[in-house]
Amino acid sequence: MNQASAYPWREAGATPFISIKNVTKRFGNFTAVDDISLDIYKGELFGLLGGSGCGKTTLLRMLAGFETPTTGSISIDGADMTDVPPYERPVNMMFQSYALFPHMSVEKNIAYGLKRDGVKGAEVKERVADMLSMVELGDFGKRKPRQLSGGQRQRVALARALVKRPKVLLLDEPLAALDKRLREQTQFELMNIQDRTGVTFVVVTHDQEEAMTLSTRIAVMDAGKFMQIGEPADIYENPATRYIANFIGSANLIPVTVIDRQQDKLRLQHESSDTVFEAISDQPAAVGDNTTLALRPEKILIDKSPLPDCDNNVQGTVKEIAYLGKISTYRVVTAFGETLEVTAPNQVRTSGAGHRIEWDDQVYLGWSSYSAILLSS
Amino acid sequence: MSISKTHAGFGNWLQSRWQTVVSGIPFFWLLLFFLAPFFIVLKISLAESIIASPPFTRLLDWSGGGLPTLKVSIDNFAYMWEDSLYVRTYLSSLKIAFVSTVLCLLIGYPMAYAIVKAEGTTRYILLLLIILPFWTSFLLRVYAWMGLLADQGTLNSFLIWIGVIEKPIRLLYSQFAVYVGIVYTYLPFMILPLYANMEKLDISLQEAAADLGAKPVAGFFTVTLPLTLPGIIAGSLLVFIPATGEFVIPDLLGGGNVLMIGRVLYSEFNANHDWPVASAVAIALVIVLVVPMMLYHKVQAAEALRES
Amino acid sequence: MKAGRSRFLLGMLCFGFAFLYVPIILMMIYSFNYSKLVPVWGGFSTRWYSELFQSEEVWNATMLSLKIALLNATFATMLGTLAGIALARIHKFRGRTLFTGMISAPLVMPEVITGLSLLLLFITLNQTIGWPAERGITTITIAHITFSMAFVAIIIQSRLAGTGQDLEEAALDLGAKPFRVLWDITLPQLAPGMVAGWLLAFTLSLDDLVIASFVSGPGATTLPMLIYSRIRLGLRPDINALATIIILAVTISVLIAGWIMLRQQRQMQQREI
């Protein structure tokens, strides 16, 4: 497989599979989705990420056909879908509540969609059996949904949505109802199934970790608009705004003023002290501009002795430590006044004392000028 | 000292037996005023009618001195079975109740569905409008139809005015009037359980059906209808059971032309003073209705279990 | 498709409400008819109202019905509340199956059967122990309590089923004895349900014709019995007037109660936000 087909969105002329053009959805005075456009490509596992009420579910429901856009158009595989009712779309949905029919057995639930399409009995049986074995529920066909565990129900819902071989599978918070351990395991199962079936997945989630793990690309939504669209690593390493920097992972935000710029090398002064930082960025910030420097907690080094190799060096006092096993999180009050959050792997066993950083220790913090992110506004 | 001790003793006894006290009082009331009367009716239905006060023979005859003799007579039931009037009346009551129940369902189901689909205050007001007739006098609502259906009543005048008919047609004192009356007065009893059931219906199930390719009609019959079945059963039984024994509606709207068992029972007792036959009619009615009553009880218990 | 369906639903809704309300409204309009023949319009008049207010018979029947309704509502609420608590909170006691059956049966039992069986009970009691000496307000009230307590019990039970037992268990844990818990925790929680039950029992009693006809004696005529005896033979303009007054009174009370409940609901929603 060549680079171009694995990442079609990187290619200029690629044909989109789902095309959302200038879609707006209003409910009375409330604008749930505000003039958005998006292209999704065949075989993608696309994540729609945002908090509650951001419009992500409304967008998904417009793809499914449960809501019609107030303005704008949606097409799937070249066909206009804007006014096509849900029961005629080549799209299936996995509901957040799973929406399994409580009065039907697992088999009947899965067969339901096939029967609506007039598929013949023998074929229905075969395809239902295939699906049951794919989701590893071969022995559960005769059970009613209420006799299943949460994880099993989730897999029935997935099988029911996939059995019709839809062009697009929509997943509304597919893992939200599962506990943490099951969620992690199921994430990989979902990716595996998506890979095997080749169906284009659109996943709505409020969980940024889930979106990062699952998705080929993520669109971050807020107040009915896309804040940023990109590959997970891209969004994490180059967040466009303060909102995204904080929503995806966590970030220390330092208000700064640009005091010098040589091409992409910038010198920035802290807003309320004379501390100066160095950063490398292609953001169009000019000398004199007020802006924000974002620092990921894991990109800051922490040590009891100075860190001469770092471009940026500050001193501070440890005020809080959260020990999380493989890593610890420190909150350090720096000499220039800001409190920075720093995470560091626990490479030394704690009983060894001496090297270990304790409360109220004086520490040195340092980071590379490539690690600091200059936000656009 | 000793007084306070016994006091505490009684208090403790009461506390430890609180369940007996709480359940015992209403239990005793119902045993005395609900269950015991049935056995009396049963007893009288097995007696013979005589002209006396009370107008029936005793089951236990003490007059012979020494041991009483037991006199049980099933003559009243045999009489009912042989006189085709009673059998026909039972069948006619069941038919009228059944047809009325179906009509209530056909009108009530879409209404309940429309109310569930309404939002916020509108839904609340619609629901209030359904409940309102329920609080106003049943008798007066039946009376309102007498005015509408009378020979010179509003409906006839209206039909003559628009030219559909030339002279009044018989509407009041007919089977038609009884159907209208039963559907009219029992409609809220159909709508309320249906509404309660549909309100709990998860809308995503209907969406899932549409998503999987079910057109609205197919989605209704495969998903909505089966899931609202408990509401349909509860509502239907709430209409069917009391309608079978209805007395006021056939009496006021049906005149003498409509056979219903409630009327027969009433006149057997109050006009003919034949207590044993009236009791036998009542016992037979309970036997006819015991299956639907137990079904209703079961549906209610299942619903309560599902909620807890 | 969607528009077609909602048009059908709207149509059914309009038809249903017209069916429910047009007869009542027409009856009210005809109460202002001068003519003695109810369906023939003879000009506007309030003569039937003044005739109604002068009738001592109507006044006595109304007072009797109100008295019975008040007594019934109060006792039925007390008994029904106990029964509801027993149903929802006591899961095991001797005869529970019989008890639940006796609670749910009166809800659907044809009135003629309840009426007949209670009358026969009163007659038997009178012959064996001499009580009740005569049938009237006491026997009617007892009969009404018996069927309306079942309705109250169902309301109370559903309210209790909806709320968990946490509060009661917390009180027990803090050292309250069962009756203290009942008095301090369970009953205050049930207050709205008891009010609803009381109102329902009151209405059921005011409404009842069949059972009262059976268990009443000479001299005790309730309002429905009076109305029934008059309309059996046909339409009566004075009954139209009486119906108008009753229906207006009930409607206004229900609307006020509905408005209060709607306001409370809104306040609760606002608090939740």
Side-chain angles (χ1 to χ4, degrees), chain A residues 137-152:
Chain A
L137 284 173
D139 300 334
F140 293 83
K142 298 276 181 258
R143 293 216 192 167
K144 288 278 175 73
R146 65 168 177 275
Q147 297 167 308
L148 301 179
S149 72
Q152 289 166 338

Side-chain angles (χ1 to χ4, degrees), chain A residues 42-62:
Chain A
K42 198 171 169 68
E44 263 203 89
L45 206 166
F46 194 92
L48 284 171
L49 176 64
S52 66
C54 72
K56 59 187 193 299
T57 301
T58 306
L59 182 59
L60 195 77
R61 290 172 59 82
M62 284 195 281

Side-chain angles (χ1 to χ4, degrees), chain B residues 12 14-23 25-27 29-38 40-41 43-44 53-54 56 58 106-108 110-115 117 121 124 126-130 132-141 143-148 150 152-154 157 173 180 183-184 187-188 191 216-217 237-238 241-242 244-248 251-252 262-263 265-266 269-270 275 278-279 282 285-286 289 293 296-297 300 304 307-308, chain C residues 1 5 8-9 12-13 15-17 19-24 26-27 30 37-40 79 82-83 85-86 89-90 92-114 116-125 127 131 142 145-146 149 157 177-180 182 196 199-200 203 207 209-210 213-214 224 227-228 231-237 239-240 242-243 246-247 250-251 254-255 257-259 261-262 265-266:
Chain B
N12 282 340
L14 202 63
Q15 294 290 4
S16 66
R17 292 304 180 101
W18 77 276
Q19 298 185 325
T20 316
V21 174
V22 167
S23 60
I25 296 170
F27 202 167
W29 182 282
L30 287 170
L31 282 180
L32 182 59
F33 292 114
F34 189 78
L35 199 62
F38 270 110
I40 294 172
V41 175
K43 189 190 98 177
I44 295 176
S53 175
F56 56 89
R58 288 168 184 271
L106 290 178
I107 302 173
M111 281 182 82
Y113 198 73
I115 295 172
K117 289 281 163 209
T121 313
Y124 189 82
L126 291 176
L127 202 59
L128 200 67
L129 283 173
I130 294 293
L132 190 59
F134 184 83
W135 291 87
T136 58
S137 167
F138 162 79
L139 187 58
L140 292 174
R141 281 184 291 139
Y143 175 70
W145 277 99
M146 288 175 69
L148 212 65
Q152 286 144 340
T154 325
S157 314
Y173 306 132
V180 169
V183 172
Y184 179 68
L187 189 58
I191 294 178
V217 173
L237 292 172
L238 271 183
I241 301 169
T244 308
E246 184 54 56
F247 159 70
V248 177
D251 195 54
L252 290 179
R263 273 193 80 221
L265 193 157
Y266 194 88
F269 189 83
N270 285 318
W275 292 15
S279 299
L285 182 54
V286 172
L289 291 181
M293 275 189 194
Y296 176 77
H297 185 63
Q300 291 302 100
E307 257 161 48
S308 65
Chain C
M1 207 68 179
R5 196 176 56 173
F8 167 71
L9 287 177
M12 281 308 290
L13 209 57
F15 169 76
F17 279 119
F19 180 61
L20 285 177
Y21 283 97
V22 167
I24 296 179
L26 282 172
M27 174 173 65
Y30 277 104
L37 273 169
V38 173
V40 183
L79 284 168
L82 289 179
I85 292 171
R89 288 289 188 261
I90 309 176
K92 264 187 201 156
F93 59 85
R94 214 175 302 157
R96 193 178 195 282
T97 319
L98 176 66
F99 187 62
T100 53
M102 287 196 300
I103 289 290
S104 73
L107 305 182
V108 287
M109 183 64 72
E111 291 163 320
V112 280
I113 295 179
T114 315
L116 175 74
S117 60
L118 274 164
L119 171 61
L120 294 176
L121 171 83
F122 290 135
I123 292 172
T124 312
L125 281 177
Q127 281 164 351
W131 178 92
I142 288 174
I145 292 170
T146 307
M149 70 177 275
Q157 183 199 10
K177 289 182 176 160
F179 274 102
R180 257 277 73 116
L182 201 63
L199 290 171
L200 184 61
T203 318
D207 222 22
L209 163 70
V210 178
S213 303
F214 271 103
I227 295 172
Y228 176 71
I231 62 177
R232 266 205 89 173
L233 303 170
L235 301 166
R236 298 258 313 220
I239 297 298
N240 282 49
L242 183 62
I246 293 175
I247 287 170
V250 171
T251 307
V254 171
L255 288 182
W259 181 71
M261 270 158 62
L262 184 66
Q265 205 179 10
R266 286 223 179 113

Side-chain angles (χ1 to χ4, degrees), chain B residues 251-267:
Chain B
D251 195 54
L252 290 179
L253 298 179
N257 305 322
V258 181
L259 285 177
M260 280 194 85
I261 203 65
R263 273 193 80 221
V264 170
L265 193 157
Y266 194 88
S267 62

Side-chain angles (χ1 to χ4, degrees), chain A residues 158-171:
Chain A
L158 185 64
R160 188 179 72 174
L162 277 174
V163 74
K164 291 186 75 179
R165 297 174 191 148
K167 288 182 177 169
V168 179
L169 182 71
L170 307 171
L171 301 99

